[in-house]
Amino acid sequence: MKKLWQKLKIRWGIESNVQVFIILMVFAITGMSSIRVGHAFLDLIGITKDNFMESTLGHMLYYTCRVISILIVYKFILIIVGTLFGQFHFFWRFIKRFLKIFDLRRLFH
């Protein structure tokens, strides 16, 4: 376990074990919250399982919308929760690296 914490500290460029713990807690809280909020958001705009489950295409469309909504909501919740735990800069860099993968980083410069 100690090796894992050391690897995380090196990879993330941090020095404190407390900071590693806080970051892992933020990831856990964000993961659970984004699923619930993403589902609630789809319900709010009228995309429900009942509306789309009549065909195979509807089934795929519903779950595609669900995954996309969770991915979008995840980023916002990650920044909010990370900020509440005092780790805004770490998570802002994390999101910018993620956007770089999709070459969307120019939207946030």
Side-chain angles (χ1 to χ4, degrees):
M1 185 70 162
K2 191 173 183 178
K3 276 187 173 183
L4 175 63
W5 282 68
Q6 290 300 329
K7 286 181 183 180
L8 289 176
K9 288 182 352 184
I10 292 167
R11 181 175 180 174
W12 292 341
I14 55 179
E15 296 180 15
S16 167
N17 288 336
V18 173
Q19 193 175 7
V20 172
F21 178 75
I22 290 171
I23 290 168
L24 292 175
M25 288 299 297
V26 169
F27 278 127
I29 292 167
T30 302
M32 292 183 296
S33 301
S34 65
I35 291 171
R36 291 180 184 260
V37 172
H39 184 69
F41 176 73
L42 288 181
D43 284 347
L44 181 69
I45 63 173
I47 298 177
T48 63
K49 206 180 251 191
D50 297 335
N51 295 346
F52 286 89
M53 290 302 168
E54 296 173 6
S55 68
T56 304
L57 180 61
H59 185 80
M60 291 186 327
L61 182 62
Y62 171 77
Y63 284 107
T64 301
C65 289
R66 184 135 187 222
V67 167
I68 291 170
S69 71
I70 290 169
L71 287 173
I72 292 169
V73 167
Y74 182 84
K75 304 299 177 245
F76 289 107
I77 294 175
L78 189 63
I79 287 294
I80 292 167
V81 175
T83 301
L84 291 174
F85 280 86
Q87 299 298 318
F88 172 79
H89 294 291
F90 174 83
F91 288 105
W92 184 244
R93 283 185 312 211
F94 180 83
I95 288 175
K96 283 174 40 176
R97 281 190 306 248
F98 177 81
L99 293 175
K100 185 179 180 181
I101 293 169
F102 294 104
D103 201 22
L104 299 174
R105 66 186 178 273
R106 66 188 130 192
L107 296 174
F108 296 97
H109 278 277

